[in-house]
Amino acid sequence: MPHILIVEDEAAIADTLIFALQGEGFTTTWLTLGQAALEHQRQTPADLIILDIGLPDITGFETCKQLRRFSEVPVMFLSARDAEIDRVVGLEIGADDYVVKPFSPREVAARVRAILKRVGPAVAPTLFQVDLERMQILYRGQPLSLTRHEFRLLQSLLDQPERVFSREQLLDAVGVPVDAGYERNIDSHIKSVRSKLRSVAADAEPIQTHRGLGYSYSPSHS
């Protein structure tokens, strides 16, 4: 079920949204600060964010600008500002919708459902970010210290979720000649990458073993 992050500093408004969204089957998280929302999205990505503009620390506009540097999660602005310029600015910096207070909770829930339906599978969050220029992979917002071979190995798995790669295919992916003497090196690389992933999330198992076949990346176990 889609998870909605609500970033709103007024408890009464947040409670109304939580009640309406949970009544429609969504799960929710409520935060009151923009910086906390950014960190939450890096660590535990939501499927959609409802974002108030007048937050206590940084504005919703600034939060959205920073969010767009690392995430394409749909954003719905919620604000008492009803001027046309505010709506235009909100949409231009990357929001998917703009709702003016006071609002109908049922309408907000309907808009959320419509946005999620429109974006479709693209809304599915990923806990990994791959930076090809820096040869770096972030997991839950944390940079992984990977060797060159480990980077290529993990990148290959991430590029094709759920695909089972044989050891030979992974050797080819990391640029090592396919040779019987090197096959077990893949197991060592996998063990090392798993250790680094567990240092970020101890209970997660993004890399799955398929006995006699090879390895795959499973988003549902991330």
Side-chain angles (χ1 to χ4, degrees), residues 95-167:
D96 296 82
D97 202 353
Y98 190 109
V99 176
V100 176
K101 301 175 183 176
F103 56 85
S104 161
R106 291 181 63 184
E107 180 184 352
V108 169
R111 285 173 178 259
V112 166
R113 192 173 297 282
I115 292 172
L116 293 176
K117 183 177 180 180
R118 183 173 72 246
V119 299
V123 74
T126 176
L127 297 179
F128 289 91
Q129 288 89 43
V130 180
D131 187 334
L132 294 176
E133 290 186 3
R134 294 183 175 86
M135 293 282 287
Q136 185 177 74
I137 296 177
L138 277 67
Y139 177 47
R140 296 175 181 250
Q142 302 298 314
L144 300 172
S145 179
L146 302 172
T147 67
R148 177 168 55 90
H149 285 164
E150 289 170 356
F151 174 86
R152 290 177 176 172
L153 173 64
L154 183 54
Q155 180 196 0
S156 297
L157 292 169
L158 295 176
D159 281 346
Q160 299 187 61
E162 308 296 354
R163 175 186 169 181
V164 178
F165 286 83
S166 67
R167 290 183 177 86

Side-chain angles (χ1 to χ4, degrees), residues 144-147 149-150 153-154 157 167 170 183-199 204-209 214-216:
L144 300 172
S145 179
L146 302 172
T147 67
H149 285 164
E150 289 170 356
L153 173 64
L154 183 54
L157 292 169
R167 290 183 177 86
L170 290 173
E183 279 190 31
R184 290 298 169 181
N185 283 355
I186 287 295
D187 296 339
S188 297
H189 288 314
I190 290 288
K191 182 178 180 181
S192 176
V193 172
R194 279 175 167 162
S195 176
K196 293 171 182 179
L197 294 173
R198 289 188 185 120
S199 70
E205 286 289 348
I207 300 177
Q208 296 288 296
T209 300
Y215 301 96
S216 71

Side-chain angles (χ1 to χ4, degrees), residues 26 32 43:
F26 298 106
T32 60
Q43 298 287 343

Side-chain angles (χ1 to χ4, degrees), residues 2-162:
H3 187 75
I4 312 302
L5 174 59
I6 300 167
V7 191
E8 167 62 60
D9 62 322
E10 294 187 39
I13 293 176
D15 286 343
T16 299
L17 289 169
I18 291 169
F19 181 80
L21 292 167
Q22 291 185 353
E24 292 292 324
F26 298 106
T27 59
T28 60
T29 295
W30 171 37
L31 297 173
T32 60
L33 300 176
Q35 291 289 3
L38 293 170
E39 184 61 26
H40 186 280
Q41 189 63 16
R42 288 190 180 96
Q43 298 287 343
T44 313
D47 295 296
L48 182 143
I49 298 177
I50 297 177
L51 183 58
D52 183 29
I53 292 178
L55 298 172
D57 55 346
I58 58 175
T59 68
F61 287 156
E62 180 60 29
T63 302
C64 187
K65 288 179 183 177
Q66 294 188 32
L67 180 69
R68 284 293 174 252
R69 295 172 188 169
F70 65 89
S71 175
E72 292 300 319
V73 62
V75 172
M76 175 190 292
F77 275 126
L78 204 62
S79 176
R81 304 181 187 180
D82 60 356
E84 180 183 21
I85 185 61
D86 291 315
R87 295 171 183 264
V88 171
V89 169
L91 295 173
E92 285 186 343
I93 63 176
D96 296 82
D97 202 353
Y98 190 109
V99 176
V100 176
K101 301 175 183 176
F103 56 85
S104 161
R106 291 181 63 184
E107 180 184 352
V108 169
R111 285 173 178 259
V112 166
R113 192 173 297 282
I115 292 172
L116 293 176
K117 183 177 180 180
R118 183 173 72 246
V119 299
V123 74
T126 176
L127 297 179
F128 289 91
Q129 288 89 43
V130 180
D131 187 334
L132 294 176
E133 290 186 3
R134 294 183 175 86
M135 293 282 287
Q136 185 177 74
I137 296 177
L138 277 67
Y139 177 47
R140 296 175 181 250
Q142 302 298 314
L144 300 172
S145 179
L146 302 172
T147 67
R148 177 168 55 90
H149 285 164
E150 289 170 356
F151 174 86
R152 290 177 176 172
L153 173 64
L154 183 54
Q155 180 196 0
S156 297
L157 292 169
L158 295 176
D159 281 346
Q160 299 187 61
E162 308 296 354

